[in-house]
Amino acid sequence: MSATDDTLVRAKGLTMRYGAKRAVDDVSFAIPKGRVVGLLGHNGAGKTTLMKALVGLASTEGELSVLGLDPRRQRTELLQQACYIPDVAILPRWARVNDLVTLMSRMHPRFSAERARALLRRTSVDPKAKVKTLSKGMMVQAHLALIASIDARLMILDEPTLGLDVLSRKAFYEMLIDEWCDGERSVLISTHQVEEIESLLSDVLMLNEGKLVLSISLEDMDRRFVALSHDAAVADQMAAAHPLLRYRTGPGSGGNAAIFDGEPPPQVQALGQRMRPSLVDLFVALTRKPELDRQHF
């Protein structure tokens, strides 16, 4: 499958198995250029497995094209144009940061040492420091500076800020958006810090037990899903309209809300006030188990 348009990733009927278990189950989606895509799912939903498939680290069934290439058969060519930071990414502790810049210059034909040094100047990382002396936040920022210095078209990040404090996470995403996203490149980010990155995203993919339950732009999401805040007095009437989810609008606020897929009937809308559903609440609505329904009433 070759890319003849602006689509960087195209999957159709993608399935991945571990023995009898389908870790990714008949998934289809596309990622155009210039997008920041959030990949959301509970632990074990298939996020890391899917990301490994995109960079040719796992066998697949179905159709998969990344940058117009087959990730398994054309992996060397693919990795000249795609970057991947796994959730267990480790830099060699014995090396100095400057040594890694030199090493990358020799290993990757599309790596810019000049750009790497410029990006490192945006951080608190001392280029002369050894990796083993860096804090976890500094190490993650150094890793991003190295990866973002590759002239690539697609970046894949698996829980890139796991374990970092809020300031380090903010610095990481600021550098990612400011220095790498340019309207042509795309980023796929798997994270549990949904609230922190929602404002950065253009699209979202949601996985639940290996199945894709949502693939949508945030613009279309706002048009499709409706949340209504309402008083407790009309809770039973709201529940009778079968919303995707009912929940509290905030700790201590006493307010209630319900999310609907599509426009609720006018008589239901008259019971509450329309509001924008958060990505977190929509995620809960689409991936919760019925027996664990999150209804705070």
Side-chain angles (χ1 to χ4, degrees), residues 235 239 242-248 256-257 284 288 290 292-297:
H242 304 294
L244 291 174
L245 179 74
R246 293 187 296 141
Y247 60 101
R248 298 289 187 189
N256 305 315
V284 173
R288 77 194 190 285
L292 299 177
D293 198 347
R294 196 185 107 182
Q295 296 186 358
H296 297 244
F297 296 93

Side-chain angles (χ1 to χ4, degrees), residues 115-244:
R115 177 167 171 78
R117 295 186 182 103
L119 291 180
L120 286 169
R121 286 195 290 270
R122 279 198 54 162
T123 73
S124 54
V125 177
D126 180 358
K128 297 179 182 178
K130 287 191 175 181
V131 170
K132 66 181 179 182
T133 69
L134 301 179
S135 68
K136 187 169 184 180
M138 291 179 184
M139 195 179 304
V140 169
Q141 287 190 19
H143 204 157
L144 177 62
L146 293 170
I147 295 300
S149 299
I150 298 172
D151 182 17
R153 300 169 61 200
L154 176 68
M155 185 180 291
I156 298 170
L157 304 173
D158 190 357
E159 294 288 352
T161 60
L162 189 65
L164 300 189
D165 61 61
V166 64
L167 292 179
S168 296
R169 296 196 299 267
K170 185 174 186 295
F172 177 92
Y173 287 119
E174 282 181 352
M175 186 163 74
L176 175 68
I177 298 301
D178 293 347
E179 301 292 346
W180 204 81
C181 298
D182 62 359
E184 294 292 322
R185 299 161 164 166
S186 287
V187 185
L188 179 65
I189 308 171
S190 168
T191 181
H192 286 97
Q193 277 115 22
V194 182
E195 302 97 328
E196 292 186 8
I197 71 163
E198 181 172 357
S199 63
L200 309 178
L201 300 179
S202 61
D203 303 81
V204 64
L205 300 172
M206 287 188 190
L207 285 175
N208 188 36
E209 297 182 349
K211 292 186 177 294
L212 189 65
V213 296
L214 189 67
S215 174
I216 198 170
S217 71
L218 262 67
E219 183 179 1
D220 287 341
M221 188 186 83
D222 287 344
R223 285 194 286 261
R224 172 177 165 183
F225 295 97
V226 176
L228 296 175
S229 63
H230 60 86
D231 294 332
V234 298
D236 289 343
Q237 294 166 270
M238 196 68 69
H242 304 294
L244 291 174

Side-chain angles (χ1 to χ4, degrees), residues 55 70 93 166:
V55 291
D70 181 308
R93 292 176 54 81
V166 64

